[in-house]
Amino acid sequence: VQLQASGGGLVQTGGSLRLSCSASGPPHKIYHMGWFRQAPGKERDHVAAIRWNSGTTNYANAVKGRFTISRDYAKNTMFLQMTALSAEDTAVYYCAADGDFLPPGRRPKLSEYDNWGQGTQVTVSS
């Protein structure tokens, strides 16, 4: 599975951005997709995840109520709508896909994701 992330850019505090991640390549099975972000000098952190078939979502506390993860099942594309952005959201955002089944309520850990996109920079200026 090849993942292509897009939609990053420069935005002012309080602004919005929409990230996209498209999956392509040989026939594949996706159980979860997720967004992570990594700020300079920091670890890569979970932002949001979505169970591919059901659409069940999971968010990091830092983005709850501001970010919305969604997917277009037919187009194998995932989105991250980000609103009320602040400087703390500045990071490289990565999308990832996991092809292993997990029981309901369990989302993949960072290390369990099989495929990663190249990352897209999000910069929030004050």
Side-chain angles (χ1 to χ4, degrees):
V1 177
Q2 289 80 46
L3 302 178
Q4 180 71 40
S6 61
L10 176 63
V11 64
Q12 291 187 330
T13 297
S16 300
L17 277 177
R18 188 192 195 207
L19 306 182
S20 299
C21 177
S22 60
S24 61
H28 54 267
K29 184 65 176 180
I30 297 174
Y31 282 99
H32 283 89
M33 288 190 73
W35 289 100
F36 290 78
R37 66 186 182 185
Q38 188 167 18
K42 295 188 177 181
E43 295 183 347
R44 191 171 297 189
D45 291 329
H46 161 75
V47 174
I50 188 165
R51 184 176 284 262
W52 200 244
N53 285 344
S54 68
T56 303
T57 59
N58 177 278
Y59 296 92
N61 288 334
V63 306
K64 279 182 181 177
R66 300 188 300 121
F67 290 11
T68 302
I69 189 171
S70 62
R71 92 276 196 244
D72 185 326
Y73 188 88
K75 296 182 178 179
N76 284 336
T77 302
M78 175 179 66
F79 306 97
L80 186 68
Q81 179 67 49
M82 305 185 293
T83 63
L85 287 163
S86 69
E88 287 69 34
D89 298 313
T90 294
V92 178
Y93 284 70
Y94 297 91
C95 61
D98 177 32
D100 297 320
F101 173 79
L102 293 173
R106 163 96 155 81
R107 66 169 174 87
K109 301 174 185 177
L110 184 149
S111 60
E112 292 177 316
Y113 280 93
D114 307 306
N115 298 280
W116 291 84
Q118 82 286 6
T120 185
Q121 176 71 47
V122 172
T123 303
V124 185
S125 65
S126 58

